[in-house]
Amino acid sequence: MKVPHEWHKDFFRNSFYNPASPAAVEKAPAEAAFILRQLKLKKGAALLDLCCGPGRHAVEFAKKGLAVTGYDFSAEYLKEASARAKKKKVSLRLLRGDMRRLPFRGEFDAAVNLFTSFGYFQKFSDDLKTLKGVAAALKPGGFFLLDVINGDFVRKNFRRRDWVEMEDYYHLEEVEALRDGVSTTWTRIEKKGGKVQSRKFFGRLYDKKSVSSALGKAGLKPLKFWGGFSGKPLTSKANRLIVLARKSR
Ligand SMILES: C[S@@+](CC[C@H](N)C(=O)[O-])C[C@H]1O[C@@H](n2cnc3c(N)ncnc32)[C@H](O)[C@@H]1O
């Protein structure tokens, strides 16, 4: 089975995968706190959460007094983000669209893209379109913080097959190494009723060098790197690659 061309359109649905698992939601406040320490934004500053999904970070940013725009392709996740904001009594501006076609011009003090919501396109030019859109969306001197899986870590700890037990289902993973990234098949087997669903997706692997080059091509200068939200250094032992970049003034 080949990775479908626009695989994201059929992948990010709650019936198959929801990034806001209880464990992920629990981590969001500490991750948001780390991010805000790096961005040093003033109250009321405009922040773009690109690929905000169900809004687990967006609501934390809004709780700290930022004017948050969440942008995502999945209508289901945006609905969940809206409900989460209502529950937390914060306001979010939520917009649906494709990350390759960002409609913003110089309106944000900062932008974030979290939990490996980047590197999804089989053409590198599409990743670059996304980064150029982020640069255009930022005010001069605006910051961009990107959090993706660390390509060096994935290559060194490659596991062809893996599985994990979730609350309601079993999650199976099969990974194939490609030149620029990985093609992964996720299979979900419901505990109740045994329904089986499989989807294949592509992930471009970025390391310090390749992400710096991509950011540079989009007019974003990498400033700092970390290997996790604890603030640990980026080494091949760290499974995250977090980079803070800045648009020139
Ligand atoms: C791994 S989830 C992470 C969501 C969120 N950042 C979080 O941490 O919970 C990736 C997100 O990217 C969104 N996405 C995927 N492809 C997209 C595209 N082409 N344009 C906009 N959003 C997209 C998905 O709908 C999903 O919400």
Side-chain angles (χ1 to χ4, degrees):
M1 189 173 54
K2 259 184 77 179
V3 178
H5 174 50
E6 297 277 287
W7 61 265
H8 65 279
K9 292 189 174 166
D10 191 40
F11 190 95
F12 295 102
R13 297 177 193 272
N14 284 330
S15 55
F16 183 67
Y17 165 65
N18 185 338
S21 67
V25 171
E26 203 181 310
K27 283 184 193 154
E31 294 175 352
F34 173 87
I35 293 163
L36 293 178
R37 280 200 298 279
Q38 312 311 324
L39 298 179
K40 297 187 180 80
L41 298 170
K42 293 195 179 116
K43 272 223 159 82
L47 175 70
L48 171 64
D49 185 349
L50 176 58
C51 301
C52 64
R56 60 194 180 99
H57 297 102
V59 293
E60 299 300 326
F61 298 137
K63 267 169 41 186
K64 301 290 177 206
L66 300 179
V68 181
T69 297
Y71 184 95
D72 201 281
F73 187 79
S74 168
E76 265 187 35
Y77 293 175
L78 287 172
K79 210 169 147 195
E80 196 176 323
S82 169
R84 179 169 272 112
K86 209 168 162 191
K87 202 169 153 200
K88 299 267 177 188
K89 297 188 172 54
V90 293
S91 129
L92 295 178
R93 174 195 184 206
L94 295 169
L95 301 172
R96 181 164 187 237
D98 190 296
M99 65 174 120
R100 288 163 289 187
R101 286 181 279 280
L102 295 180
F104 314 108
R105 291 293 168 267
E107 66 176 273
F108 293 102
D109 296 288
V112 296
N113 176 285
L114 308 172
F115 206 41
T116 317
S117 303
F118 180 69
Y120 289 170
F121 306 112
Q122 291 166 79
K123 286 196 292 182
F124 172 70
S125 57
D126 278 342
D127 277 3
L128 204 50
K129 255 187 214 167
T130 304
L131 293 178
K132 285 183 176 168
V134 169
L138 290 171
K139 294 177 185 169
F143 288 106
F144 176 48
L145 188 139
L146 175 67
D147 155 47
V148 288
I149 193 143
N150 179 6
D152 276 346
F153 177 88
V154 175
R155 286 191 192 95
K156 287 217 164 97
N157 297 275
F158 189 78
R159 284 177 79 112
R160 177 99 182 80
R161 289 198 173 88
D162 211 346
W163 70 279
V164 56
E165 182 174 358
M166 308 297 277
E167 205 179 322
D168 303 330
Y169 63 95
Y170 296 99
H171 172 91
L172 279 59
E173 181 170 282
E174 278 185 282
V175 189
E176 188 191 333
L178 306 174
R179 194 170 55 88
D180 302 340
V182 285
S183 131
T184 304
T185 307
W186 278 1
T187 299
R188 172 182 172 131
I189 308 170
E190 302 298 333
K191 287 186 182 171
K192 240 192 223 161
K195 183 180 168 192
V196 180
Q197 296 183 74
S198 282
R199 303 265 194 288
K200 202 164 190 156
F201 65 96
F202 173 77
R204 186 174 301 281
L205 291 178
Y206 282 99
D207 53 30
K208 190 175 181 177
K209 194 173 162 206
S210 58
V211 83
S212 300
S213 158
L215 288 164
K217 285 184 177 134
L220 295 162
K221 186 178 176 198
L223 302 175
K224 280 187 188 173
F225 292 86
W226 299 271
F229 286 107
S230 62
K232 68 180 175 184
L234 175 63
T235 66
S236 58
K237 288 193 180 120
N239 68 345
R240 307 304 306 168
L241 183 170
I242 302 172
V243 52
L244 178 70
R246 193 169 202 188
K247 177 177 173 172
S248 59
R249 283 182 180 276

